């Protein structure tokens, strides 16, 4: 989207954070992954403007799965999609 006077362009950009936790033999990987995701959520919520670079951050619920590799411990994974909304006065400028 574009606004005029002064000319400002509004962009949205999507990126992802992927988290991986090795499942221990005795279990407990879910707890470790939950703790890691809670820390990621706290960091994102702590600065929704990325130090003034963005207007807003919006993140999705994590998509979780298990990676299995023959002969190795399972790996628990989570993917969080983050939408970054930001404004620029010149799309070719560095800042």
């Amino acid at each position: 989207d574009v606004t005029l006077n002064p000319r400002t362009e509004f962009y949205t950009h999507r990126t992802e954070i992927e988290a991986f936790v090795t499942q221990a033999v005795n279990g407990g990987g879910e707890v470790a992954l939950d703790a890691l995701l809670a820390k990621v959520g706290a960091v994102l919520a702590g600065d929704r403007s990325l130090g003034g670079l963005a207007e807003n951050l919006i993140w999705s619920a994590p998509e979780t799965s298990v990676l299995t590799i023959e002969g190795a411990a399972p790996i628990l994974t989570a993917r969080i999609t983050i939408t970054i909304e930001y404004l620029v006065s010149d799309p070719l400028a560095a800042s």
Side-chain angles (χ1 to χ4, degrees):
D1 291 332
V2 177
T3 60
L4 301 174
N5 200 15
R7 180 182 170 91
T8 305
E9 298 191 29
F10 179 79
Y11 289 94
T12 60
H13 180 78
R14 288 193 175 169
T15 189
E16 293 181 346
I17 294 176
E18 292 181 316
F20 301 90
V21 173
T22 302
Q23 177 78 29
V25 175
N26 60 354
E30 293 86 359
V31 173
L33 185 61
D34 286 345
L36 179 59
L37 293 174
K39 288 179 185 179
V40 168
V43 169
L44 292 173
D47 186 9
R48 295 180 86 103
S49 72
L50 297 176
L53 296 174
E55 293 296 310
N56 195 23
L57 296 179
I58 304 165
W59 53 91
S60 68
E63 297 175 23
T64 59
S65 64
V66 178
L67 266 169
T68 56
I69 302 170
E70 188 175 333
I75 299 171
L76 305 176
T77 69
R79 180 179 309 167
I80 303 167
T81 301
I82 302 170
T83 302
I84 305 166
E85 299 174 333
Y86 60 99
L87 298 167
V88 295
S89 57
D90 181 356
L92 300 177
S95 58

